Amino acid sequence: MSESTTLLVFAHRDEAFAFADVPHLVTGVGKVQGAVALAAALAETPVDRVVVLGTAGVVGDGPDRLSLDEVVQVTRVVQHDFSLPSPELTPAGEVLLPERTATIATGDVFVKDDAQRAHISSLGAELVDMEAYSYATVCARFSVALQLFKIPSDFADSATTDEEWDTIVFRKSEQLRAFWDARLR
């Protein structure tokens, strides 16, 4: 019986900050960079599972709004910046956090606008990022199991700034590392 192989993936190098001692792929930010880098990696070295760790903005409101301090598993992926109908995608990996799952909307923009946030939330998403849809598409095409885990970094509203993310991403990377060590290693 062969040993299962896993590819650990991050979009941004700062999200991978706490993983210097763990082999991983940094794809670059956005749907195109994410898709191209992941497809190239899977074409070069087939794997059984892709695990994506990263940050995301919270777009949900109300009493069930996601915490900025808990890792959640993404179990449904949609696009928010594509005007034509596109299918919802369900990552094919095992659900490890059934008590903390979320839908994520992907688009090629860092969301920091209240109207945009409300639109994304209306799609049924609790989180927003810039790569998850491309990762899910590529993994489906390569028939590779995908597990997406996100630590919320901000509330994707008008108070959110690029500088804020640049400051907290290192702490978020450390939170992701603690999760990796406790649940995925």
Side-chain angles (χ1 to χ4, degrees):
M1 187 168 171
S2 66
E3 187 175 321
S4 176
T5 55
T6 297
L7 175 62
L8 179 59
V9 175
F10 299 89
H12 194 281
R13 63 182 164 79
D14 292 347
E15 291 173 325
F17 168 76
F19 291 82
D21 63 327
V22 179
H24 61 271
L25 169 69
V26 175
T27 64
V29 175
K31 290 189 286 187
V32 172
Q33 288 191 75
V36 170
L38 182 56
L42 294 179
E44 183 178 307
T45 307
V47 299
D48 300 307
R49 172 177 79 150
V50 169
V51 172
V52 174
L53 297 176
T55 59
V58 174
V59 294
D61 280 320
D64 295 330
R65 179 161 81 171
L66 297 174
S67 164
L68 295 182
D69 289 316
E70 288 187 326
V71 174
V72 297
Q73 186 168 2
V74 173
T75 55
R76 182 174 160 259
V77 184
V78 299
Q79 290 189 91
H80 72 79
D81 68 345
F82 195 69
S83 62
L84 300 174
S86 61
E88 295 177 3
L89 302 176
T90 303
E94 179 185 359
V95 176
L96 300 179
L97 301 175
E99 70 287 357
R100 289 195 320 260
T101 62
T103 296
I104 197 163
T106 297
D108 276 321
V109 63
F110 185 79
V111 176
K112 51 187 175 183
D113 174 86
D114 294 329
Q116 197 171 29
R117 180 180 189 273
H119 164 70
I120 294 166
S121 181
S122 76
L123 300 173
E126 292 94 8
L127 294 171
V128 62
D129 84 340
M130 297 174 67
E131 301 81 23
Y133 196 90
S134 64
Y135 296 151
T137 301
V138 169
C139 286
R141 294 276 173 103
F142 278 83
S143 298
V144 174
L146 170 65
Q147 293 172 305
L148 288 155
F149 299 97
K150 294 288 187 168
I151 183 79
S153 56
D154 56 74
F155 291 112
D157 58 14
S158 60
T160 301
T161 65
D162 295 347
E163 294 78 21
E164 175 186 34
W165 186 87
D166 288 342
T167 301
I168 65 171
V169 67
F170 299 103
R171 181 170 51 88
K172 296 300 176 178
S173 180
E174 291 168 352
Q175 288 174 301
L176 288 167
R177 180 57 191 255
F179 172 76
W180 167 265
D181 289 341
R183 299 294 299 264
L184 297 176
R185 228 176 199 200

